Amino acid sequence: LEVFCGVAELSRQVSHTGRWVLMWDISFGDGYDLLRLSNVRLISGWLRAGLIWGIHFGTPCQSFTRARDRPGGPPPLRSNACPLGLPDLARSADRLAVFRGNSLMRASCRLFLDAVAMGVPCSLENPAFSRLWLCPGPTQILRRASVSFTITDFCMWGKPWRKSTGFM
């Protein structure tokens, strides 16, 4: 299962091995929205029932990005000291972006832990220096002996850009 699959490049690559891959992304409609608890419970049930053999999360990183720290750009939504969101966000759109980002991160962490509990191989990716990695959920998961973290650059995998990416 590729959750937050976007253009589903991972799914396409895995399907070349002869295995089928279920792609999950909000772009397919509300039935794929992980802001809906019923959808999180559905995937959790699939994991507990042994229906998923591997799961990858490409958790949205927009609100966790450090790019907003640059002068002249949009204002920051988070800081290293406040990775779950700055307390004084004036715009409702910014507060909503932080809420959505936190909710999707928490859903990813919950399902990641379900996968670990069931012995299902899993991974979660985000930019290497994303503030997602500073949040309580990922930091607690990374304390587990069975979970590791690595960074790779996309250029090492044939892409024309560097994009340092962290994988849990």
Side-chain angles (χ1 to χ4, degrees):
L1 174 63
E2 184 182 7
V3 181
F4 309 111
C5 68
V7 297
E9 186 167 345
L10 178 63
S11 293
R12 282 195 307 276
Q13 295 300 319
V14 172
S15 69
H16 291 309
T17 68
R19 299 188 187 274
W20 60 270
V21 180
L22 177 61
M23 298 172 288
W24 190 283
D25 196 89
I26 185 65
S27 64
F28 301 141
D30 287 344
Y32 293 85
D33 188 353
L34 285 188
L35 293 175
R36 291 181 170 189
L37 186 56
S38 59
N39 290 330
V40 175
R41 287 181 179 145
L42 176 66
I43 295 173
S44 181
W46 291 344
L47 284 162
R48 287 192 315 276
L51 298 175
I52 296 176
W53 295 356
I55 188 167
H56 172 76
F57 301 92
T59 307
C61 60
Q62 294 91 336
S63 75
F64 294 97
T65 184
R66 292 174 186 266
R68 293 183 72 119
D69 295 350
R70 295 181 187 141
L77 301 178
R78 303 170 188 275
S79 69
N80 290 356
C82 298
L84 293 174
L86 296 171
D88 57 350
L89 295 173
R91 295 181 45 219
S92 61
D94 290 344
R95 290 191 302 273
L96 180 60
V98 166
F99 172 80
R100 292 176 58 82
N102 289 347
S103 297
L104 295 174
M105 178 264 301
R106 287 182 179 115
S108 297
C109 289
R110 173 185 170 179
L111 293 169
F112 191 100
L113 287 172
D114 287 349
V116 168
M118 296 304 298
V120 174
C122 54
S123 61
L124 188 152
E125 79 169 272
N126 230 250
F129 302 103
S130 167
R131 289 199 169 101
L132 177 135
W133 303 119
L134 302 176
C135 292
T139 59
Q140 289 169 1
I141 292 171
L142 283 165
R143 288 189 194 119
R144 294 171 166 261
S146 63
V147 178
S148 62
F149 183 79
T150 191
I151 294 175
T152 189
D153 292 335
F154 273 43
C155 60
M156 296 174 66
W157 305 100
K159 297 296 179 189
W161 59 83
R162 182 174 177 193
K163 191 180 179 192
S164 294
T165 301
F167 287 86
M168 176 170 69

